[in-house]
């Protein structure tokens, strides 16, 4: 079982930036597809971005050009750099690790974009 711990959330003004980090522990982490998802109040959890073991990235349309996902297999971390943040980016952001049918989630970190 992979353990995931997110950090880096907080309150930021529109147009600002935040950097979320996910610290992972477990076996064969470098093989996992890692991702960030978010859930806003009253809405379903949605994809933000994923990155494969080969560093192939995928982004939801809402974050393209503004968000960047990266991973450091040596440090077992996954990072989401978020720029030009908008109020609609407000949500709890969750780190995710998937390998076949194995799926793990972190506890989430709150991101609030407000003036």
């Amino acid at each position: 079982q992979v353990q995931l711990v997110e950090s880096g959330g907080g309150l930021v003004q529109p147009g600002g930036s935040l950097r979320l980090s996910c610290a992972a522990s477990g076996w064969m982490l470098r093989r996992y597809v890692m991702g960030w998802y978010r859930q806003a109040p009253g809405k379903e959890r949605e994809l933000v971005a994923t990155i494969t073991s080969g560093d192939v990235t995928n982004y939801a349309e809402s974050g393209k050009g503004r968000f960047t996902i990266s991973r450091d297999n040596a440090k077992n971390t996954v990072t989401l750099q978020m720029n030009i943040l908008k109020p609609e980016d407000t949500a709890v952001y969750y780190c995710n690790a998937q390998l076949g049918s194995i799926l793990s989630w972190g506890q989430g970190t709150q991101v609030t974009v407000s003036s």
Side-chain angles (χ1 to χ4, degrees), residues 1-3 24-32 76 99 102:
Q1 186 73 15
V2 176
Q3 305 295 324
S25 60
W27 184 67
M28 298 293 284
L29 286 171
R30 64 184 64 242
R31 295 178 58 190
Y32 281 71
N76 289 338
L99 180 63
I102 302 171

Side-chain angles (χ1 to χ4, degrees), residues 6-23:
E6 302 97 334
S7 61
L11 174 64
V12 63
Q13 292 186 343
S17 298
L18 276 178
R19 187 178 180 89
L20 305 183
S21 293
C22 174

Side-chain angles (χ1 to χ4, degrees), residues 54-75:
D55 288 338
V56 176
T57 57
N58 178 54
Y59 295 92
E61 284 297 323
S62 59
K64 284 183 178 179
R66 300 188 299 126
F67 295 174
T68 303
I69 188 171
S70 60
R71 66 191 294 167
D72 185 333
N73 290 328
K75 296 182 178 180

Side-chain angles (χ1 to χ4, degrees), residues 23-55:
S25 60
W27 184 67
M28 298 293 284
L29 286 171
R30 64 184 64 242
R31 295 178 58 190
Y32 281 71
V33 176
M34 304 297 296
W36 287 94
Y37 289 72
R38 68 186 184 186
Q39 187 167 17
K43 295 187 177 181
E44 294 186 353
R45 193 171 297 189
E46 63 178 8
L47 169 73
V48 176
T50 60
I51 184 166
T52 70
S53 59
D55 288 338

